[in-house]
Structure formats: structure tokens, C-alpha cells
Amino acid sequence: IPKERGVRAAQNRNRKRYDDSQEYAIKIKDPKPGENRQRCPEFSQMQPCTCKEKNSGLDVTCENVETSELQKVTRNMKSHTQTNSYMIAYFKVRNSRITKLPDYLFVGLKIAHLMLFDCGITTLMPNSMSSLAGSLKHLVLVNNDL
């Protein structure tokens, strides 16, 4: 047996090399900027609305739209997001003429925050937002006629 030198060497002799009572975690590397980022559909698919790519997901804004235009945009978003499994962080509709929010308008979309400001909404159809039950965290219906 080699000679131990000093107090520290004697302490290390009785210490376990591996302590299985400790928990270990593996840190997963965050993606580089631009990697795995959610992408907006082509501009022509979004008109008259706009789409911005944010870290939290897509940010969609529609202003001065009618129900038929909103339906067209949500259909286009559905085909785009299903292909890529994207989350729409914010879907905002402002200053629009949508008196009745139709059934299944948002079907196939994952929206976290839905905001309908100043749209003149008088009626929410029974299934107008039912498809958002799994994703919707925040709903704003400000300045409507409900």
C-alpha cells in the first residue's frame, strides 16, 4: 500500500467514488437562433391579415376583415400549421365586421391567446371555439355586442 500523505489523502480513502443517491440532469442545448423556428405562411395566404414569427410562436393580426376573409385565412393557416405542427401564440382580430362567429372557424389550429377587439360580435355559435379547448389559455372579447 502506498503511503498516504496528509489529512486530505486519508479522507479521500474512505470516500465513495460514485454516490448513487445524487440525481443527475442532462441539459438539452437550446436551438440556435433561427433553428426550429415557426414560420409564417406565404404573404398571399395571409392577406388581408399579417403574420410575424416570434419566439413564443406565430403572431397573427387581422384588421378590418369580414367573416369570409377571416374564414379564408384560418383555412390557409390550418393547412400550413398541420404540415408543420405550429403553435399560434397570438391571434388578434381588430376593428372588423364579424357579427356572428361561425362554428369551427378555428378548427385545426392551436391558438394560445385569442383576442377579438371591436368586431361587432353579437353571436358566438356553439362550436365557434370548441376546437381550441386543448390550446387556448387566454380569450379576450372586448368592445363587442355580446
Side-chain angles (χ1 to χ4, degrees):
I1 298 177
K3 244 183 175 181
E4 295 179 25
R5 296 186 184 163
V7 175
R8 188 173 291 161
Q11 289 172 343
N12 286 338
R13 179 182 51 169
N14 295 327
R15 186 179 294 169
K16 289 182 183 179
R17 297 245 182 239
Y18 174 74
D19 184 1
D20 59 356
S21 67
Q22 293 179 349
E23 293 184 24
Y24 294 90
I26 298 172
K27 184 175 180 184
I28 298 172
K29 187 176 156 188
D30 291 331
K32 294 177 185 172
E35 275 184 18
N36 295 331
R37 247 187 123 163
Q38 301 195 34
R39 302 278 179 214
C40 287
E42 294 296 321
F43 179 76
S44 62
Q45 298 291 306
M46 291 302 300
Q47 286 182 310
C49 303
T50 61
C51 180
K52 294 181 182 174
E53 298 162 0
K54 306 262 179 143
N55 289 335
S56 58
L58 301 180
D59 186 338
V60 177
T61 303
C62 300
E63 290 193 71
N64 300 310
V65 296
E66 293 181 11
T67 306
S68 60
E69 294 171 310
L70 189 58
Q71 286 174 315
K72 182 190 87 153
V73 168
T74 57
R75 271 194 309 272
N76 291 341
M77 287 294 297
K78 177 184 174 183
S79 63
H80 178 75
T81 58
Q82 280 185 335
T83 305
N84 301 296
S85 188
Y86 287 164
M87 170 61 89
I88 300 168
Y90 294 90
F91 199 138
K92 298 170 277 196
V93 183
R94 296 191 285 232
N95 305 320
S96 296
R97 297 163 302 283
I98 305 167
T99 55
K100 181 168 74 171
L101 203 62
D103 280 330
Y104 309 110
L105 178 63
F106 302 106
V107 73
L109 300 179
K110 294 178 195 166
I111 300 173
H113 305 275
L114 178 61
M115 300 167 191
L116 304 167
F117 298 101
D118 295 315
C119 293
I121 298 173
T122 58
T123 307
L124 296 175
M125 295 306 289
N127 292 305
S128 58
M129 291 184 251
S130 61
S131 62
L132 300 176
S135 63
L136 193 64
K137 295 177 184 175
H138 189 218
L139 174 64
V140 176
L141 297 167
V142 176
N143 292 341
N144 286 292
D145 300 319
L146 293 169

